[in-house]
Amino acid sequence: MPDGRLFTADAPFLRDMASRFGTPLIMHDLASVRERADRLKGLLPGDARLLYSLKANPLPPVVHALQQAGCGVEVSSLGELGLVGPSSTMLFTGPGKSSAEIRAALGAGALLSCESATEVARVAAIAPAAEVVLRVQPGHSTSAGLSMSDGRQFGFTEEEAVAICRDLPGALRVGGLHCYVGSQLPDTAALVTAFELVVRTVTGIADAAGLTLRVADLGGGFAWPYAAPGAGPDLADLPDRLAPIVAPLRARGTEIWFESGRGLVAPSGRLLLRVLDVKVRSERTTVVVDAGVNVLGGMSGLGRVLRPATVPRNLSTPDADPMRVDIVGPLCTPLDRLAVQVEVPQPHVGDLLCVDNVGAYAASAALSGFLSRPPATELVVDGLDAIGCWRLRSGHEALDPPGGLV
């Protein structure tokens, strides 16, 4: 399975799945998930741990496949915590942890990544002798697609981290540091620059605070296209360039952790959708499909993240002449756009289209509650074997408030 792609000759299989399960249909291939885990772990130092960030795709079979492939987990909610099985490496992150989340995370054996002095005090009040790691901000921006250096809600500055290490409440212990530069780092050079920055940051804090680093989480940023054809960058030279960067940590006996979300699961997913209408006009052609921002790229529909450069394939007439079109979903809003002026083999009503690389940030990041439309069906396959179907819950649930309604 080269470059983590699933189903290199897949059109008949995909058409059959769409016929059996309907559209819109998001397919996740566990064989691709395992392949990506093996490949990404192979790029890291042999004694390093790779954590899967559930925010990319919390679908239970995907999570379990990655745990079985030897990945630890990085979670940031009680919902995500409830999806994971026992793990020797579990990190609970997020800038606003409640007391209930802290208790649940500690009870599950997770290591808490603390983000402020207030949060450190909250942990100490619940578990005075707990071990935590401190999340620290990277020193400056990089070429990340989404940089964390300007995320003021995340973590300590270097000076704050040193100060809190010197004045910990109770018997609380700081066992390590956690620093994440950003996502979608485009090549080996960008990853090397990011990891060099992180190692300088965490070792500098440790030396200034007299801290023994049991764990150093260096983050990730392993890139992959989103809802567009293609594969991630060639990282064949990363192991040789990474070894001297992490050498100072290995010399201290520090456990080295990395994180990845989309880099592990993005290529495992494909979205199948049907053409509902084709409006041909002199200025441009608009193709209406049965999946919009309620299924894919929902946060971009609100202008919160970059819109996906969606370029679907036409599985019904793949050899037709290409046609430049806008692709929109069925929602009653002008924001429901999947692509603008992309070339697709001429589509007709009823054609089946396929969007590659949607294994990350698809159903769970979509506007599934908007307009009360049902979420997409998610089909899990393993190679050419269908495993089962899932669907996110949607709609309102009536609650019975304590004391009754006033």
Side-chain angles (χ1 to χ4, degrees):
M1 192 179 298
D3 299 325
R5 297 183 179 91
L6 80 154
F7 311 136
T8 54
D10 57 357
F13 180 79
L14 295 176
R15 287 196 294 265
D16 179 49
M17 294 298 101
S19 176
R20 288 177 57 189
F21 298 101
T23 60
L25 180 69
I26 302 175
M27 296 179 55
H28 306 270
D29 179 35
L30 299 184
S32 174
V33 169
R34 291 191 295 269
E35 188 272 345
R36 282 300 300 159
D38 289 344
R39 185 167 296 215
L40 193 48
K41 287 193 298 180
L43 296 173
L44 304 177
D47 54 354
R49 291 286 285 162
L50 178 61
L51 277 60
Y52 173 53
S53 298
L54 266 73
K55 63 177 68 70
N57 185 342
L59 192 65
V62 171
V63 175
H64 298 162
L66 285 165
Q67 288 196 265
Q68 290 169 359
C71 293
V73 291
E74 182 256 314
V75 300
S76 56
S77 71
L78 293 181
E80 289 183 349
L81 185 65
L83 293 172
V84 301
S87 175
S88 60
T89 308
M90 185 188 309
L91 185 68
F92 196 103
T93 65
K97 303 177 194 69
S98 68
S99 295
E101 288 173 325
I102 290 170
R103 289 190 183 92
L106 293 173
L111 186 61
L112 286 164
S113 177
C114 288
E115 310 238 7
S116 70
T118 299
E119 194 164 89
V120 167
R122 188 173 293 141
V123 174
I126 294 169
E131 181 188 44
V132 300
V133 299
L134 304 182
R135 181 165 179 171
V136 294
Q137 296 178 357
H140 56 77
S141 298
T142 67
S143 56
L146 180 62
S147 174
M148 296 297 178
S149 61
D150 296 325
R152 293 180 178 86
Q153 71 267 45
F154 295 112
F156 295 84
T157 65
E158 294 179 45
E159 295 78 12
E160 290 168 344
V162 172
I164 198 71
C165 285
R166 292 173 174 168
D167 190 25
L168 288 171
L172 201 73
R173 295 169 293 124
V174 173
L177 298 170
H178 172 206
C179 187
Y180 186 88
V181 167
S183 66
Q184 291 289 73
L185 295 167
D187 50 32
T188 296
L191 286 165
V192 166
T193 298
F195 293 140
E196 285 176 337
L197 170 62
V198 171
V199 171
R200 284 199 307 271
T201 299
V202 300
T203 54
I205 292 171
D207 290 342
L211 175 65
T212 299
L213 281 176
R214 185 180 72 80
V215 172
D217 186 328
L218 309 187
F222 304 100
W224 201 273
Y226 177 49
D234 182 359
L235 301 178
D237 56 340
L238 181 61
D240 289 339
R241 299 184 65 180
L242 194 53
I245 295 173
V246 300
L249 295 173
R250 299 176 102 171
R252 297 169 186 244
T254 301
E255 292 182 29
I256 302 170
W257 295 0
F258 294 89
E259 306 168 21
S260 182
R262 94 178 67 222
L264 284 166
V265 298
S268 70
R270 290 186 170 181
L271 169 62
L272 302 179
L273 40 85
R274 290 280 181 192
V275 175
L276 299 176
D277 201 354
V278 180
K279 297 183 177 182
V280 181
R281 292 171 179 155
S282 58
E283 67 277 12
R284 60 204 306 165
T285 296
T286 300
V287 177
V288 184
V289 296
D290 61 0
V293 293
N294 61 316
V295 170
L296 178 68
M299 290 184 289
S300 68
L302 294 178
R304 304 304 296 171
V305 297
L306 294 177
R307 187 177 303 281
T310 308
V311 184
R313 294 181 288 129
N314 191 332
L315 300 182
S316 297
T317 56
D319 299 323
D321 292 335
M323 186 176 189
R324 189 168 289 275
V325 301
D326 295 340
I327 301 177
V328 304
L331 305 186
C332 189
T333 169
L335 295 174
D336 192 18
R337 292 178 293 165
L338 295 181
V340 176
Q341 291 296 282
V342 296
E343 284 197 350
V344 180
Q346 184 173 1
H348 301 86
V349 173
D351 280 359
L352 181 67
L353 306 184
C354 176
V355 180
D356 296 313
N357 290 321
V358 297
Y361 303 108
S364 61
L367 294 177
S368 56
F370 188 49
L371 288 176
S372 299
R373 285 180 173 265
T377 299
E378 296 186 78
L379 172 66
V380 176
V381 300
D382 197 337
L384 299 181
D385 297 323
I387 304 300
C389 286
W390 278 258
R391 177 175 285 168
L392 282 173
R393 293 178 178 176
S394 65
H396 288 85
E397 177 185 358
L399 300 180
D400 187 11
L405 295 175
V406 176

